[in-house]
Amino acid sequence: MIFLRIFKNRGDFYIPATKFKSDREQKILLAILAFVVAFTAVFILIVGIKYDFSAKKFFTPKNINVEEIDNINVLPEVEGKNNFLFIMKNDVTEDIYVCSLIQVDLDNFAYKVSTLDVNTNIEGNDINNIYKRGGAGNVVNAINNLLGIDIDYFIDLSVKKYKEMFDAMGNINYTVLSDIRYKDTSTYGFNIKIKEGDQNINGDTASKLMRYYLTEKRYDLVNEILLTSLSQQINPENYEKREKLFSRFIDSAATNITIKSFSEGDNGMRVLSSENTGANVYSAYPIYEDNNIISSSIDDIRGYFVK
């Protein structure tokens, strides 16, 4: 009779190698193995359900659950367009320095800006005089009639308050096209000296650059500063402190933006401030004959700001 050692390294335990016994023992071993595998699988399933061994759970911080992460990563669906009139004026005389149209376009994730000359003639009156007679609301009505658009909100800031609001939202990176040295010696004049190239600018420099560009009739470059501000200052950090910034804004500006409209626009702010959105920017600048915007230019601007 032939003998086989089936438990290697377990001592000298031999059994006969008859076919009957071999088959029976093989079945016993397979049964034991099946039991072990089944028991292990059930154990892992029970413990896994109780403690969640998923990769997402493993890498999730202890102070946040998986549902919260999913909600954070999914941005809300938004739509619509809102037009704004932005005014920056002299702190004392209330003469307008900057008068710009801004559109926040959630349909296309875009910002659009068009800066108008304060001497723009609208039915025999210029924008500056229209403002002095009836404030920003009066200018809104006049520009709506001139361009055939619908401005929803106005933002009316003095130079001082504009600088403070700008600085509260943080500096921006802006490329200056050429060296600038300019001195305005009037009563409320300003001086600016800045080098060509990439610059990190604050509210004071931004306000002076816009005023300088307007003396050169470079409405496109004023647009560029405002578009750069929108693109860089509407960001995740400022979204997180939006309530504090809005409170400051309400204290600083004359505006028809209410707490209700601010709350209703929260989803839009969240989307535009996300690093994953990447908003587009569009600049529309007027072309004048004397102080009148030519008809083709009116059509071009209207095309950007109609809803």
Side-chain angles (χ1 to χ4, degrees):
M1 182 180 289
I2 300 172
F3 289 84
L4 295 176
R5 188 170 65 182
I6 64 171
F7 294 115
K8 189 176 181 181
N9 299 325
R10 293 279 183 172
D12 296 329
F13 180 56
Y14 294 87
I15 64 170
T18 63
K19 185 175 185 305
F20 172 75
K21 289 185 177 180
S22 176
D23 290 344
R24 185 179 65 182
E25 288 156 1
Q26 187 177 31
K27 290 178 180 178
I28 292 170
L29 289 173
L30 289 173
I32 293 171
L33 179 62
F35 173 77
V36 171
V37 170
F39 177 81
T40 303
V42 171
F43 178 79
I44 291 174
L45 179 62
I46 293 172
V47 175
I49 291 172
K50 183 176 180 181
Y51 294 103
D52 190 357
F53 290 151
S54 67
K56 181 183 284 189
K57 183 69 177 179
F58 181 78
F59 290 106
T60 300
K62 291 182 179 180
N63 62 342
I64 187 169
N65 60 42
V66 175
E67 290 75 14
E68 287 174 336
I69 285 182
D70 290 337
N71 290 335
I72 289 171
N73 291 335
V74 177
L75 292 173
E77 293 185 4
V78 294
E79 62 180 3
K81 300 175 182 179
N82 283 310
N83 291 329
F84 299 80
L85 173 68
F86 167 70
I87 288 174
M88 186 181 78
K89 65 188 179 186
N90 182 287
D91 298 72
V92 179
T93 67
E94 297 204 334
D95 286 307
I96 297 177
Y97 291 140
V98 179
C99 178
S100 300
L101 300 173
I102 299 171
Q103 184 180 93
V104 177
D105 180 356
L106 294 175
D107 294 336
N108 302 293
F109 302 131
Y111 303 117
K112 305 169 188 176
V113 173
S114 180
T115 298
L116 307 180
D117 197 296
V118 297
N119 294 311
T120 300
N121 178 45
I122 303 177
E123 296 182 351
N125 290 298
D126 62 48
I127 289 177
N128 200 46
N129 282 328
I130 292 170
Y131 175 79
K132 288 189 172 184
R133 290 180 180 180
N138 209 30
V139 178
V140 166
N141 292 332
I143 293 177
N144 282 343
N145 291 333
L146 174 67
L147 300 178
I149 63 173
D150 182 17
I151 298 172
D152 303 284
Y153 304 104
F154 60 82
I155 299 168
D156 183 355
L157 287 163
S158 69
V159 173
K160 179 182 177 182
K161 294 299 183 181
Y162 169 78
K163 294 177 185 178
E164 292 174 353
M165 197 69 219
F166 188 106
D167 292 341
M169 298 181 72
N171 289 7
I172 64 171
N173 297 315
Y174 176 74
T175 302
V176 179
L177 298 180
S178 60
D179 291 353
I180 297 174
R181 286 187 127 193
Y182 180 79
K183 185 174 184 179
D184 181 347
T185 58
S186 63
T187 304
Y188 300 103
F190 65 99
N191 301 328
I192 183 168
K193 181 179 179 182
I194 191 168
K195 291 283 189 180
E196 175 186 355
D198 295 338
Q199 305 291 340
N200 185 259
I201 64 173
N202 59 15
D204 182 64
T205 302
S207 66
K208 288 177 179 177
L209 276 171
M210 288 193 289
R211 291 179 66 184
Y212 168 74
Y213 288 147
L214 286 168
T215 66
E216 299 292 314
K217 307 297 184 184
R218 292 301 306 269
Y219 312 109
D220 57 323
L221 295 182
V222 179
N223 291 352
E224 192 175 270
I225 291 176
L226 292 172
L227 288 168
T228 302
S229 298
L230 289 164
S231 299
Q232 295 184 24
Q233 291 180 323
I234 298 180
N235 57 44
E237 181 181 350
N238 283 334
Y239 177 75
E240 289 302 316
K241 56 181 182 180
R242 61 194 179 281
E243 292 181 359
K244 182 178 179 181
L245 287 170
F246 182 71
S247 178
R248 183 168 193 160
F249 168 76
I250 290 296
D251 290 339
S252 301
T255 183
N256 61 340
I257 300 175
T258 63
I259 295 175
K260 180 182 177 182
S261 55
F262 170 76
S263 299
E264 290 173 347
D266 188 75
N267 281 344
M269 286 186 288
R270 179 182 170 191
V271 171
L272 290 172
S273 64
S274 171
E275 294 176 344
N276 299 323
T277 298
N280 298 307
V281 296
Y282 299 94
S283 174
Y285 55 89
I287 299 173
Y288 288 91
E289 285 183 358
D290 297 324
N291 289 323
N292 300 297
I293 305 176
I294 64 174
S295 59
S296 60
S297 185
I298 287 176
D299 292 338
D300 289 340
I301 296 171
R302 182 188 299 119
Y304 282 95
F305 291 91
V306 292
K307 300 180 183 180

